[in-house]
Amino acid sequence: MIRYHAAWVVPIEGEPIKDGWVMVDSGRIVALGRRAVNDTTRGLELGDVAVMPGLVNAHTHLELSYLRDQVAPASSFTMWAREIIAERRKRMQQSSSDPIVTAAIDAAIDESVRSGTAVVGEITNGLFVTYEKLAASPLAAVVFWELIGFNLKDPKSDGPLLDFDPMVEQAVSDIGTLPPSEKVRASLAAHAPYSVAPLFFRAIKKAVDRMPFVPSSVHLAENVEEVQLLKTGDGPWKALMKDIGSWSHAWTAPGVSPVKYLDEMGFIDDRLLVVHGVQMSNVDLAIVKERGATLVTCPRSNGHTGAGLPPIVDFYESGARIAIGTDSLASAPDLNVFAEVATLHALAPSVPPASLLESATIQGARALGFDADYGTIEPGKLARLLAVDVPPGTSDVEEYLVSGIHPGQVRWIDA
Ligand SMILES: [Zn+2]
């Protein structure tokens, strides 16, 4: 049993505690509280730090870490997409056992841990490599095996593929062959409305609904070109898809917003992480809230890819659950969730720091199905806790924590 004393304890569930303590036994939190002036109970003095739960990076692609600094900022999303497609094709569709790819994943896991991340939502196209690396790491994770296909052909008839069930069932059975892990789970994700055929979405939803509780994920309403494609059936996405041989003549535009499109298919529910939402209207946000889905925002990536800046204030005012992701190193400068939080704070200073800290911890943990162990400091949860250096005499610790914390200020108290 160890009792830690700190200038601040930030439990997330409840107000920050000045001169706080946290008691830990066998890796679990037992109790927490405030030290009274005459309290002489001994404890391990951590000094001028804020003790808080490890962070949750709810959307990243560690697998793309080899693309760090390789794809320049773009003025439009489809221009950026063209660049990244070209880069990935250079590496033979990023064969996931390529040593450059795997070394970059190792470095990315290390960087995530050093910057205070406890849990990640990882999108992968190379299920086995990423899963095994995460299972062997200190991170807890959901590995989303991302399915893509807009104009897939039926190998028997050579016509468009109409029955996606066998393909999706194969993916589910591949997931079933993964070695069991206490803290890494696998699930399926659809890439985006412009890269996944409508019947494919339906087959993925059907399969996920039958899996024991795991979340699912989709990139949604990320860019104006996506909105245009779904409204009109035309624009830069159609041109790009034609150029790469992915366009389907069988597809007709639904004439609605990306959120409405997936909602009409029944795809949006409380197991879903909808990622980006840069182009969501207030009507779209109301649907996300109504369905109980979690919106994951990645503002630094949105700025880099040309998608534009997300409407952070609208996100929070909608009442929807909001989590935070860094996205991949192809579009973010680092994997530091504290830096992502600082960007949200700069973009939306009116959003209370406490809400941003919830987004970076419990909201992501809940969305990924890890809230029994992570996301807050509460008795019974894992003591996967950070000690973050704060200046002596800090009075508003939440404001300090959302203003930009660098990895040198962060250590794990159980390490
Ligand atoms: Zn992504």
Side-chain angles (χ1 to χ4, degrees):
M1 191 101 74
I2 307 180
R3 183 169 141 136
Y4 295 99
H5 291 175
W8 286 98
V9 171
V10 182
I12 304 298
E13 182 68 50
E15 296 286 307
I17 304 168
K18 193 172 187 316
D19 297 322
W21 57 268
V22 181
M23 186 109 75
V24 172
D25 188 25
S26 309
R28 296 262 165 195
I29 298 154
V30 177
L32 66 157
R34 182 192 302 273
R35 273 172 295 154
V37 183
N38 56 357
D39 184 352
T40 54
T41 316
R42 291 240 184 126
L44 186 61
E45 300 291 342
L46 297 173
D48 287 311
V49 300
V51 172
M52 65 178 293
L55 303 181
V56 180
N57 186 351
H59 180 81
T60 186
H61 307 241
L62 300 175
E63 185 186 66
L64 298 184
S65 298
Y66 73 96
L67 291 174
R68 184 174 218 157
D69 300 329
Q70 299 298 302
V71 190
S75 57
S76 83
F77 189 85
T78 40
M79 281 168 66
W80 190 81
R82 282 179 186 273
E83 290 291 322
I84 196 162
I85 290 166
E87 283 296 328
R88 294 185 75 172
R89 287 191 169 177
K90 268 191 219 162
R91 201 154 282 282
M92 302 280 292
Q93 298 288 3
Q94 95 294 327
S95 157
S96 50
S97 50
D98 181 320
I100 290 179
V101 174
T102 58
I105 296 173
D106 289 336
I109 288 173
D110 192 50
E111 177 180 335
S112 298
V113 174
R114 276 187 290 110
S115 49
T117 297
V119 185
V120 299
E122 161 71 0
I123 307 286
T124 184
N125 303 111
L127 176 67
F128 299 97
V129 172
T130 335
Y131 180 92
E132 279 170 20
K133 286 197 175 292
L134 282 166
S137 83
L139 293 171
V142 174
V143 177
F144 294 103
W145 193 2
E146 182 175 71
L147 302 177
I148 301 184
F150 198 72
N151 66 342
L152 300 180
K153 284 221 175 327
D154 188 335
K156 287 183 203 128
S157 67
D158 209 36
L161 185 61
L162 297 176
D163 182 7
F164 288 84
D165 288 344
M167 211 171 106
V168 175
E169 284 313 315
Q170 183 60 51
V172 172
S173 99
D174 287 346
I175 284 175
T177 66
L178 293 166
S181 160
E182 288 266 304
K183 59 173 185 65
V184 182
R185 299 164 194 159
S187 183
L188 299 177
H191 178 253
Y194 48 81
S195 56
V196 174
L199 289 171
F200 204 177
F201 270 112
R202 290 177 192 275
I204 293 168
K205 174 80 170 90
K206 200 164 79 178
V208 170
D209 281 350
R210 283 207 321 273
M211 293 165 83
F213 180 87
V214 276
S216 186
S217 173
V218 65
H219 298 97
L220 195 62
E222 181 176 11
N223 48 85
V224 282
E225 298 97 316
E226 172 188 347
V227 175
Q228 184 186 5
L229 182 77
L230 294 184
K231 271 252 150 66
T232 69
D234 214 337
W237 264 122
K238 182 174 175 180
L240 189 166
M241 290 160 76
K242 279 185 150 175
D243 288 350
I244 63 171
S246 295
W247 180 248
S248 166
H249 293 286
W251 186 80
T252 50
V256 295
S257 74
V259 170
K260 198 107 186 75
Y261 172 55
L262 290 195
D263 191 48
E264 283 171 358
M265 279 187 217
F267 198 78
I268 302 181
D269 64 15
D270 59 0
R271 292 171 76 158
L272 189 68
L273 285 75
V274 291
V275 181
H276 295 309
V278 178
Q279 301 299 332
M280 283 184 194
S281 67
N282 288 339
V283 173
D284 294 327
L285 289 167
I287 295 172
V288 171
K289 176 189 175 352
E290 180 67 27
R291 299 289 175 248
T294 300
L295 172 58
V296 185
T297 182
C298 315
R300 293 185 305 168
S301 167
N302 299 147
H304 185 95
T305 60
L309 295 175
I312 304 291
V313 173
D314 293 350
F315 286 176
Y316 282 87
E317 282 182 353
S318 75
R321 299 181 185 285
I322 311 297
I324 295 172
T326 61
D327 212 346
S328 81
L329 287 173
S331 57
D334 57 52
L335 298 168
N336 180 2
V337 176
F338 279 117
E340 204 69 48
V341 168
T343 300
L344 269 99
H345 185 50
L347 289 172
S350 64
V351 174
S355 302
L356 300 180
L357 292 172
E358 275 184 24
S359 290
T361 53
I362 186 62
Q363 292 293 2
R366 185 183 289 132
L368 294 170
F370 279 105
D371 49 318
D373 281 336
Y374 295 90
T376 61
I377 305 182
E378 287 180 88
K381 289 200 182 188
L382 281 177
R384 192 82 182 112
L385 303 176
L386 302 174
V388 181
D389 290 340
V390 299
T394 296
S395 58
D396 187 342
V397 71
E398 291 172 324
E399 171 71 27
Y400 185 78
L401 290 171
V402 301
S403 299
I405 300 295
H406 63 83
Q409 290 175 269
V410 173
R411 73 200 140 92
W412 293 96
I413 68 169
D414 57 348

